[in-house]
Amino acid sequence: YTKYLEKIQYKTPGELKVLQAVSLYELMKHAVENIPFYKPLSAQLTLTPESAFEDITKFPIISKHDMVGKPNEFMDSDTPILRRYHTGGTTGMHFDVYSDKYFTDHAVDEYFNSKVGIYQGMNRLIVNLVGHGSLLDKRIENNISINKLTGVYTVDHRFMNEEKLQMAVRILKKYKPEIIWGNTHGVYTIAKYLQDNKIKIKYPKVVLCGGDTLLDRYRTTIETAFNLKVADRYAAAETGNMANQCSFRKGYHYVPVTHFIEILDENDMPVKDGEAGSIVVTTLTKRAMPMIRYRLGDMVVKASQLCECGSKFPIIEAVSGREKEGIRSPVGT
């Protein structure tokens, strides 16, 4: 599938729009036939590739508020579930989302990785949650995981205390990872620790961040500490890996046959080029629990042109951050 994406990325915007229409049509047809929440829409839709962009506007825009506590309404009970994910806590609401084999078979991760110089076999420091891993992982408490065979070293990005930061530095010095990849704030915290303590390391080849907004001060600190241009990834548990910067670092490419992205103003109308708006995402390759016109709660800027790298895949100019920012107290306020 990665080879297929590498091939079609050079098609014209018009040709890509035709491919996207087919993917959108297939997704909507599946939804109204198999998913309880969308079945009532069937009579309102023409459901042809030619009518896809008009049909999608008849689907309601949904958010976490609509899905919490009633996942069965948004699921196809006949599609086998491959994985379950738990949504993040930035809004204070959580629910489980499910993926399937069709979604996995159409993953964009390897395509995006190659755009920034990440390939299988490169050793890496992952700054993210420490999962269950494999039997070959050497666990150091619950915050560090080391796998010398695969060259993957994981540091949990939560609660980056002195002990954990020292361990991250030891990994950087001893194993010299080619890639540093993970939660934006976690990577920033390590970079700042290196700067504050004047610690010198062998510089990695790639630093890729995601999960939090890459603020200007984060970017400056990370790029200074690691002596390279950082790349940013835009993803969510609900929608998967949506968009990624390439080696030019001037926008976020997204794949039009895996995601249909709308950038809307406060009246839910499309914004103009160069304007910021709320991002609304439709996942075109999920079948067990597709996200259709799902409002993520983020503000992004619509790009006015394509990337200089030559790919004709559309781009988001910038990710501005959450529509609403706040701190949730222990009592939920």
Side-chain angles (χ1 to χ4, degrees), residues 116-117 122 177-180 203-207 228-229 249:
V116 294
M122 297 173 73
E178 301 168 273
I179 302 163
I180 298 175
Y203 297 127
K205 295 179 179 178
V206 181
V207 175
L228 48 63
K229 294 291 185 182
R249 314 292 200 265

Side-chain angles (χ1 to χ4, degrees), residues 4 94 127 143 182-183 225 229 248 254 265 300:
Y4 168 71
H94 304 272
V127 187
N143 297 317
N183 173 269
K229 294 291 185 182
F248 281 75
Y254 65 91
D265 63 19
V300 303

Side-chain angles (χ1 to χ4, degrees), residues 137-204:
D137 287 347
K138 179 182 178 182
R139 298 292 290 271
I140 302 175
E141 297 179 347
N142 292 319
N143 297 317
I144 311 288
S145 173
I146 294 175
N147 190 323
K148 295 181 182 179
L149 181 64
T150 61
V152 176
Y153 316 100
T154 307
V155 175
D156 195 311
H157 72 280
R158 298 170 296 178
F159 312 112
M160 298 288 282
N161 56 25
E162 180 78 14
E163 182 181 2
K164 195 184 296 185
L165 287 166
Q166 289 178 356
M167 177 59 74
V169 170
R170 285 199 288 272
I171 291 173
L172 288 169
K173 287 185 171 181
K174 182 175 182 178
Y175 299 109
K176 301 175 177 61
E178 301 168 273
I179 302 163
I180 298 175
W181 181 355
N183 173 269
T184 301
H185 191 266
V187 175
Y188 161 75
T189 304
I190 293 173
K192 190 172 187 303
Y193 186 79
L194 292 173
Q195 277 192 318
D196 291 346
N197 293 277
K198 298 180 173 57
I199 298 171
K200 299 294 183 182
I201 61 167
K202 181 180 179 180
Y203 297 127

Side-chain angles (χ1 to χ4, degrees), residues 63-74 93-96 289:
S63 67
K64 276 188 178 182
H65 292 277
D66 300 295
M67 305 188 73
V68 170
K70 42 188 174 183
N72 292 339
E73 292 186 29
F74 295 89
M93 292 182 292
H94 304 272
F95 67 96
D96 289 333
M289 191 181 196

